[in-house]
Amino acid sequence: MQNFHQLYAAAFLTVLLMFGPALPVYGAQDRTIDYRPLQENLTSYLEQQKGTYGIYIIDLNSSATGGVNQLVEFHAASTFKVPLSLYIFRAVDSGSLNPGAQLEFRARHREGGTGRLQSRSLGTRLSIDELVRYSIVYSDNVATNMLLDLAGRGQVQDYMASLGGEVVNHQRSTTCPRDMALYMQEAVRFAETNAWGEKLLGYLRHTVYTDRIPHPLPDVPVANKIGNWPATNTYNDVAHVVHPDRPYILSVFSSHTPGYGEAVRVIREISRLVYAYQSNPSLVAEITLDGNYLPLEDKPFVSRGATMVPLRALVEVIPELSIRWDEEARLITLASSFPGHETEIALEPADETMQIVDGRSYLPLRDLCQKLRLGLEWDGANYRINLFSPAEE
């Protein structure tokens, strides 16, 4: 853990040395956030942990997403209560369900585990609204079974698929981190326009189970729903975190972990890292050359403290640059024809500074500028990287 934190801090320090003080997020909420550096750090961290973890993040300002194992199938456990409750309250809003209608607690609804209704007498009657509250706030299994009896599991799962769910298994209660994040995002959208949605989000914000994603965070509103499935040592959580600058959805699932204590420790660390990244994200910056905006088809990103730029995309928008590939020598040659500064650079694909992403070559911008004798300036006020041709350096 300590080595990982040191690497993370070192990467951030490199950015500071390259471009000056870190930018505050204020005023930049609408800019696209680049999750690739965070994904790298989370992947490295999870490689050191026992068990399988899946993560999905949605930045609610920009709709940018990021994840690790986000489509891997996990047992949904009690996180299923989010789309179930959303389905019920959507039906209430449409008028097809009366929230005050009373449902009867019958023997088939009884189930152990979490909740408070299991000790009630058979024949007890509770309203639909009250059952949703028990299902979310106390993760009550009896309340959930009563609601499922009313709605029908198949109908709820069809609704999940209609929201974009890709892992919806009618034989098993499974899901994936991406899908559960979509359901929580839909709950947030519902709350923005509807009193029943606002009530559901309120229940999620007052759940008694806050031991995972909310635990390491500062005092910000968090709506979350956990899930446990001890048979596979599965411990999950999905949350809407109202970060002061960049609110987001975070979904974390696990399986075959060493147990509750270790899984919760890992989920808390993931939550801490995501919140920290939302506070100081690697935003996609504009790049100019001699004051002219460079419309790069592929966007740069920050990796290990260096701004990586797409080589071919850069060549396509700077007329003075050209590139050729020598198949026999296995070399990329980058040629510069800036007047008085003509030069050629041989680049090996195996160069450790080069990264291949989706078949495209990326190089550290500062290294490239030094080799091409281009000037480089960081414009923090406008979140822009300004390059200058050698004659104007």
Side-chain angles (χ1 to χ4, degrees):
M1 179 78 70
Q2 184 176 4
N3 290 338
F4 173 73
H5 288 160
Q6 289 172 345
L7 288 172
Y8 192 80
F12 235 95
L13 180 59
T14 306
V15 175
L16 293 177
L17 292 173
M18 287 173 63
F19 295 128
L23 283 177
V25 179
Y26 305 104
Q29 290 93 331
D30 58 340
R31 295 186 185 275
T32 300
I33 188 170
D34 183 359
Y35 280 121
R36 281 174 291 189
L38 177 62
Q39 287 173 172
E40 287 183 8
N41 289 333
L42 290 172
T43 299
S44 299
Y45 172 65
L46 292 178
E47 286 173 352
Q48 305 169 39
Q49 313 307 318
K50 295 179 180 178
T52 301
Y53 289 86
I55 304 168
Y56 198 68
I57 312 157
I58 304 174
D59 178 66
L60 295 179
N61 285 342
S62 66
S63 298
T65 62
V68 178
N69 296 330
Q70 60 264 32
L71 293 178
V72 170
E73 188 171 354
F74 293 90
H75 199 291
S78 287
T79 61
F80 172 74
K81 295 166 185 175
V82 173
L84 168 62
S85 299
L86 184 59
Y87 176 84
I88 294 292
F89 272 178
R90 281 287 191 187
V92 168
D93 178 53
S94 69
S96 58
L97 279 181
N98 176 4
Q102 301 281 309
L103 302 183
E104 184 180 343
F105 177 21
R106 299 180 179 178
R108 65 176 179 270
H109 301 139
R110 193 182 294 281
E111 184 178 340
T114 55
R116 298 185 174 187
L117 297 183
Q118 55 191 284
S119 61
R120 296 280 188 94
S121 301
L122 294 180
T124 299
R125 301 181 69 85
L126 299 101
S127 70
I128 290 175
D129 182 13
E130 194 173 9
L131 288 171
V132 171
R133 184 175 72 86
Y134 270 90
S135 180
I136 294 297
V137 175
Y138 305 113
S139 198
D140 196 290
N141 292 329
V142 171
T144 301
N145 290 340
M146 293 172 69
L147 292 171
L148 264 179
D149 206 11
L150 172 70
R153 182 179 291 272
Q155 285 75 10
V156 176
Q157 290 177 321
D158 289 344
Y159 174 66
M160 292 160 64
S162 75
L163 294 177
E166 294 187 17
V167 179
V168 181
N169 191 307
H170 285 73
Q171 282 70 48
R172 303 193 305 273
S173 181
T174 57
T175 187
C176 66
R178 170 196 169 274
D179 291 359
M180 195 53 65
L182 291 182
Y183 307 146
M184 181 63 83
Q185 184 181 28
E186 181 63 21
V188 173
R189 288 173 178 160
F190 188 33
E192 291 173 349
T193 59
N194 188 279
W196 288 105
E198 190 176 344
K199 175 172 275 196
L200 174 57
L201 201 62
Y203 290 161
L204 288 163
R205 284 179 179 164
H206 290 90
T207 175
V208 298
Y209 297 103
T210 58
D211 58 334
R212 296 166 209 186
I213 290 175
H215 186 274
L217 303 183
D219 187 19
V220 296
V222 179
N224 80 293
K225 184 72 196 74
I226 69 157
N228 303 327
W229 193 251
T232 53
N233 271 341
T234 287
Y235 301 94
N236 309 327
D237 201 2
V238 58
H240 168 229
V241 179
V242 187
H243 186 284
D245 301 307
R246 283 191 168 274
Y248 60 94
I249 305 291
L250 173 61
S251 176
V252 185
F253 280 68
S254 71
S255 66
H256 302 98
T257 68
Y260 168 81
E262 274 299 294
V264 167
R265 178 188 64 79
V266 172
I267 294 173
R268 288 176 180 177
E269 180 63 9
I270 291 169
S271 176
R272 188 192 67 79
L273 290 170
V274 172
Y275 189 91
Y277 195 81
Q278 293 294 114
S279 301
N280 291 284
S282 239
L283 298 173
V284 176
E286 294 180 351
I287 299 181
T288 68
L289 176 63
D290 298 332
N292 298 311
Y293 170 67
L294 299 180
L296 299 179
E297 182 178 353
D298 301 308
K299 299 301 182 183
F301 63 92
V302 175
S303 175
R304 301 181 183 91
T307 299
M308 307 296 292
V309 292
L311 185 56
R312 182 164 294 281
L314 197 67
V315 168
E316 288 175 351
V317 296
I318 300 180
E320 291 83 1
L321 299 182
S322 61
I323 191 172
R324 66 177 183 272
W325 166 249
D326 187 330
E327 179 67 36
E328 184 176 349
R330 307 294 294 175
L331 282 176
I332 299 171
T333 300
L334 179 63
S336 166
S337 62
F338 286 103
H341 295 274
E342 296 82 357
T343 186
E344 287 191 350
I345 307 167
L347 304 168
E348 296 186 24
D351 188 332
E352 62 181 14
T353 64
M354 185 181 296
Q355 291 190 35
I356 308 298
V357 180
D358 296 330
R360 296 171 176 81
S361 301
Y362 286 77
L363 288 169
L365 179 60
R366 181 167 289 279
D367 290 354
L368 199 59
C369 286
Q370 289 176 345
K371 291 174 180 177
L372 297 174
R373 299 168 190 168
L374 294 174
L376 184 151
E377 171 192 79
W378 170 242
D379 179 359
N382 297 299
Y383 211 86
R384 183 180 298 137
I385 299 171
N386 297 320
L387 307 181
F388 303 94
S389 60
E392 297 183 27
E393 184 176 355

